[in-house]
Amino acid sequence: MSSRSPVRLYCAAVFLAGIGLSLLALPDARMGWIVHMPLSFALLSAGVLLGEMLPIRIPRRGGEDYEELTLSGAFALALLITGGLGPALIAQGVASIVQDVYSKKPPWRVRFNLGQYFVAMLVAWLVVRLFAVDPRLDILHPISSGQLPAMLAGSVVFALVNRLVVGVAVALYQGVTVRAHFRENGVFGMVTGSVILLTAPIVLAAASYSVAIVPLCLAPIVAMYNSISQSARSEHLARHDSLTGLPNRMFFQQTAESILEGAESGCVLLLDLDRFKDVNDTLGHRVGDLLLSHVAVRFREVVGNLGEIARLGGDEFALIASGCSRDQARELAQSVADSLRDSFQLEELVVDVQASVGIALFPDHGTDIETLLQKADVAMYRAKESSADIEFYDERHDHHSPSKLALTGELRAAVSGPQLVVWYQPQLDLHTGQLTDIEALVRWEHPGRGLLAPDAFLRMAEQTSLIKPLTDRVLRTALGQVAAWRRLGLDPTVAVNISTRSLVDRDFTGQVMAALNEAEVPPASLRLEVTESALMADPVTSHTVLHELDELGVKISIDDFGTGYSSLAYLADLPVSEVKIDRSFVMKMDGHAKENIIVSSTIDLAHHLGLCAVAEGVEDPAQIRRLEALGCDVAQGYAIARPAPAPEATQLLLGGGFDADAATFESGDTESPSERLIVSSAIPKQEVVRWS
Ligand code: C2E
Ligand code: CA
Ligand code: CA
């Protein structure tokens, strides 16, 4: 923090005010009392010091931030009234410096604390003098002489000034309005602070009776200390998540409201760990919990004072920051996402985890925390779908937005009409050099939005019941196409992607059987691609469904392999015939030693388990050579062919062979259909216009 920041300037001003006012009051300081009454001074000063050294920590907004409530005031006020201003300032000043230096506070905080105590003490002193029946407080019997109102007024004023001066500093430090700060933190501290100071007359009465019994006053004060600490702790528990120590949802919402109140701009980030459910299911809840608490520590470290982070529940975290632009919000999101880059060492296990981050901006996307959280949630889901780490809220992805609701209605109609089409991407058999198998990929020819890729509408289909007719439609179309190819003398196996919903649907096998019968295609010509996470969603049912499909004679492939947490050993128990190594590994193969090892050992493991290894996302012809050398069986990707409509795909299958060296087709066609598609695409590496 710069020494010119408002909070630093304010603290410096408080220090100067405290010192300046004390100098002005010097003639009334009555330092001589210390010499006359050394025992009283020593005992009461010891009380002040003890009170300072044992502060009660009252949790403030945010995770590790505490406000300290000290018991020193009771003794300091007793000193003020019996001894006078000078002895009280000396005892309180020394105790404050000792405590601050002991707890390694920076010099500006030490000066501030000294200044704020001096200011509070001086104001209390003025009030005591104003209300006192006799200015010579020490020689009168403090309680019976009618001095009690003066003492009580002094105590309350001391507590109030102290809270006010400190509260302003904290509000400036946290960038919230003073009003918001006091609304949230003020009441508890203010009440307890005053209660503590009301014990000053007791100390005083004891001191005026006999200094020797002053130490006995410690007993009730310690009891009070305990009960206040206890209630501070329960208050903390009610507002924080016990696993991570971060603020909980309720507390986050309160904090966020006050932050937004004083802000001109800001952002709300929603963070969700990717595939955390897999960690829990495969490694157990204990490891899952351990992972969450480690993740929270990293998050808290990177967020620091930039914002407030909370755990909303499960693997979901939220962050709010004020005064940030769109770019700064992105930077913040990036640094939070990056904090997970290094693996977590949990006991004997090394676990990798990533987060998807959704960002909603204040005030552009909403002005209250409820709305901002909901918008950030939409953005976060979008990030998960698009496998981009970070996404800003965009109305077009909002399923609750009017346009999205309209799109759902349109999809309902499209599923049974001609707009839903199937494109095909051939797979290259690396042993024979032939394009034999092919993957069916759904597309939506939307009349207004152009050709939509699956990620623009699949989630919507999965959230509604539309995924069932959609899968059925793709299955029937793909099998119908296989029948047509068989009539041409081609015999490819077609791979169809199956979503989680189908895998846990006990009717699914019947649906597949009906589609095979209708197309009159043998089950062996169909391969169903399922992902690890789909298998893990409901392992028992998916296990049953897969076995039924296997008995039918349909082949099963594990898609996006390596992105989930299932082990190959678990997969070996399933009737699986191939694994498709996820394109995130294949694409990074050149130059990335780690990805090379992952790809080559996955190929080896697959072979040991009797499975076929397929590499997807092969974009560079050189990778084909490398995969061949590693013993990979099949390759799929833009380097071989992009997904294309059935007629082009037929041309490719008829052409058959593929020369990796020349990366051209041997069909004799100078311009292959796939090349034509690439050329006609305005967006590199993408064959379809995405509506996103
Ligand atoms: P997937 O199963 O991993 O399918 C491969 C995706 O990678 C396809 O995207 C394909 O166009 C793309 N791709 C192929 N080669 C390359 C390459 O070399 N580089 C890169 N960067 N990408 C490549 P698409 O068609 O957009 O499909 C996305 C996902 O949507 C699929 O991922 C699959 O999970 C899902 N999907 C597609 N069609 C269906 C369907 O009919 N039903 C279901 N349930 N899901 C489908
Ligand atoms: Ca696939
Ligand atoms: Ca895949």
Side-chain angles (χ1 to χ4, degrees):
M1 195 187 339
S2 128
S3 60
R4 291 275 180 102
S5 65
V7 60
R8 294 286 292 270
L9 291 175
Y10 170 79
C11 289
V14 169
F15 171 66
L16 292 177
I19 299 296
L21 290 174
S22 311
L23 289 176
L24 283 179
L26 209 54
D28 277 324
R30 302 179 64 222
M31 293 296 192
W33 185 82
I34 300 176
V35 187
H36 291 133
M37 308 286 281
L39 187 61
S40 298
F41 178 69
L43 271 174
L44 291 173
S45 303
V48 176
L49 186 63
L50 201 69
E52 277 292 314
M53 296 306 284
L54 295 174
I56 303 173
R57 305 191 129 189
I58 298 179
R60 205 189 277 152
R61 299 177 3 201
E64 285 180 317
D65 209 1
Y66 290 94
E67 191 150 336
E68 289 182 346
L69 197 66
T70 65
L71 298 170
S72 59
F75 292 94
L77 268 180
L79 250 180
L80 178 74
I81 293 166
T82 38
L85 184 62
L89 288 182
I90 289 184
Q92 182 68 72
V94 169
S96 169
I97 294 175
V98 168
Q99 208 283 326
D100 285 353
V101 170
Y102 172 77
S103 51
K104 299 203 176 69
K105 292 201 176 124
W108 64 274
R109 293 267 294 267
V110 179
R111 286 196 295 269
F112 167 73
N113 277 334
L114 187 72
Q116 61 94 358
Y117 272 136
F118 277 19
V119 170
M121 192 67 81
L122 280 153
V123 178
W125 177 67
L126 286 175
V127 168
V128 169
R129 287 192 42 157
L130 197 70
F131 284 92
V133 284
D134 190 300
R136 299 206 47 209
L137 292 160
D138 57 318
I139 55 159
L140 291 164
H141 199 285
I143 311 292
S144 60
S145 63
Q147 299 287 54
L148 193 59
M151 288 186 297
L152 294 182
S155 304
V156 170
V157 164
F158 182 80
L160 287 180
V161 174
N162 171 261
R163 297 293 304 180
L164 191 72
V165 176
V166 175
V168 171
V170 174
L172 285 173
Y173 185 70
Q174 294 182 331
V176 299
T177 63
V178 176
R179 220 179 83 208
H181 168 81
F182 279 110
R183 203 184 41 224
E184 224 175 284
N185 300 282
V187 185
F188 183 74
M190 200 84 92
V191 170
T192 44
S194 309
V195 169
I196 290 173
L197 287 175
L198 290 181
T199 55
I202 302 174
V203 177
L204 205 56
S208 67
Y209 179 74
S210 159
V211 208
I213 62 168
V214 168
L216 293 183
C217 296
L218 276 179
I221 292 180
V222 166
M224 199 158 66
Y225 174 91
N226 276 338
S227 84
I228 296 174
S229 314
Q230 189 55 47
S231 56
R233 241 183 320 226
S234 359
E235 170 125 347
H236 183 84
L237 276 180
R239 293 169 159 208
H240 292 79
D241 158 47
S242 57
L243 180 66
T244 61
L246 291 178
N248 57 22
R249 178 185 283 271
M250 177 203 80
F251 193 27
F252 177 76
Q253 284 178 325
Q254 286 173 1
T255 312
E257 266 161 28
S258 63
I259 290 181
L260 293 177
E261 194 172 300
E264 278 179 9
S265 63
C267 62
V268 171
L269 272 54
L270 202 80
L271 305 112
D272 191 281
L273 302 184
D274 297 340
R275 292 182 298 275
F276 177 73
K277 193 178 175 307
D278 295 355
V279 175
N280 252 346
D281 290 349
T282 350
L283 305 175
H285 286 267
R286 210 175 51 79
V287 175
D289 283 357
L290 208 57
L291 178 63
L292 284 175
S293 53
H294 280 64
V295 165
V297 171
R298 295 232 187 130
F299 282 174
R300 190 183 276 166
E301 258 169 32
V302 291
V303 173
N305 276 330
L306 299 173
E308 296 288 342
I309 183 137
R311 178 177 173 224
L312 300 186
D315 59 343
E316 206 173 60
F317 296 83
L319 200 170
I320 181 161
S322 63
C324 57
S325 64
R326 190 183 171 93
D327 286 345
Q328 286 166 325
R330 177 181 283 286
E331 266 173 44
L332 185 62
Q334 193 64 57
S335 53
V336 177
D338 286 350
S339 71
L340 303 181
R341 200 178 283 159
D342 294 335
S343 314
F344 289 87
Q345 177 82 46
L346 308 174
E347 296 167 351
E348 262 90 80
L349 297 163
V350 177
V351 177
D352 276 300
V353 71
Q354 281 158 6
S356 301
V357 191
I359 309 175
L361 296 174
F362 168 84
D364 307 12
H365 300 146
T367 48
D368 62 287
I369 185 63
E370 287 291 340
T371 313
L372 288 165
L373 274 175
Q374 188 227 319
K375 302 270 163 98
D377 191 54
V378 170
M380 188 274 291
Y381 269 104
R382 175 71 195 157
K384 279 209 189 293
E385 280 176 344
S386 63
S387 66
D389 307 350
I390 299 164
E391 286 282 351
F392 280 93
Y393 172 75
D394 186 333
E395 202 254 344
R396 290 172 301 175
H397 302 139
D398 195 340
H399 293 270
H400 304 291
S401 74
S403 65
K404 205 69 186 208
L405 288 176
L407 197 70
T408 314
E410 288 168 0
L411 181 63
R412 200 175 298 278
V415 162
S416 50
Q419 289 175 17
L420 214 64
V421 295
V422 179
W423 282 25
Y424 299 90
Q425 186 177 33
Q427 301 178 329
L428 177 69
D429 184 324
L430 293 172
H431 303 298
T432 63
Q434 298 295 308
L435 298 175
T436 42
D437 295 348
I438 203 151
E439 179 173 0
L441 294 159
V442 68
R443 301 286 181 263
W444 181 4
E445 287 176 343
H446 191 281
R449 304 179 204 265
L451 190 62
L452 302 185
D455 57 351
F457 57 90
L458 267 185
R459 198 171 104 87
M460 194 164 75
E462 268 162 7
Q463 282 176 340
T464 55
S465 51
L466 290 173
I467 191 68
K468 199 170 166 172
L470 184 145
T471 306
D472 203 43
R473 175 71 191 280
V474 175
L475 201 57
R476 284 171 197 274
T477 310
L479 289 174
Q481 187 58 51
V482 170
W485 284 327
R486 288 167 70 86
R487 287 194 289 275
L488 284 176
L490 296 164
D491 187 18
T493 300
V494 72
V496 174
N497 293 281
I498 297 305
S499 78
T500 314
R501 289 276 289 266
S502 304
L503 211 56
V504 296
D505 178 0
R506 297 301 302 269
D507 301 335
F508 183 61
T509 316
Q511 195 185 328
V512 173
M513 198 151 45
L516 285 166
N517 288 339
E518 186 192 88
E520 295 176 8
V521 165
S525 296
L526 176 64
R527 184 160 44 232
L528 297 175
E529 295 195 359
V530 299
T531 62
E532 289 172 83
S533 39
L535 288 172
M536 300 311 268
D538 179 353
V540 179
T541 315
S542 53
H543 198 270
T544 315
V545 172
L546 286 194
H547 278 280
E548 285 171 3
L549 290 166
D550 181 51
E551 272 165 34
L552 203 65
V554 171
K555 287 181 261 182
I556 309 291
S557 168
I558 303 294
D559 205 355
D560 303 345
F561 187 76
T563 57
Y565 285 91
S566 56
S567 66
L568 264 181
Y570 168 76
L571 299 179
D573 272 348
L574 295 171
V576 168
S577 65
E578 75 171 29
V579 288
K580 293 185 84 170
I581 307 167
D582 191 64
R583 57 178 179 274
S584 58
F585 305 111
V586 177
M587 286 163 105
K588 284 191 245 163
M589 255 169 64
D590 340 69
H592 288 73
K594 194 170 127 197
E595 274 73 18
N596 275 331
I597 293 169
I598 293 174
V599 172
S600 77
S601 47
T602 309
I603 295 171
D604 291 347
L605 271 168
H607 288 166
H608 280 118
L609 291 167
L611 307 177
C612 170
V614 181
E616 63 174 18
V618 181
E619 291 189 349
D620 176 0
Q623 286 169 338
I624 302 176
R625 293 256 86 110
R626 203 163 304 134
L627 287 163
E628 227 169 0
L630 292 175
C632 188
D633 306 291
V634 176
Q636 180 182 351
Y638 295 166
I640 297 146
R642 293 191 173 229
E648 279 92 335
T650 309
Q651 287 293 317
L652 289 175
L653 290 176
L654 283 171
F658 180 80
D659 178 359
D661 285 331
T664 52
F665 289 88
E666 292 168 353
S667 61
D669 201 346
T670 45
E671 190 193 23
S672 81
S674 67
E675 283 167 329
R676 210 162 43 232
L677 273 164
I678 298 167
V679 173
S680 67
S681 167
I683 312 160
K685 291 197 189 174
Q686 205 162 285
E687 79 284 3
V688 287
V689 181
R690 277 165 208 264
W691 177 75
S692 54

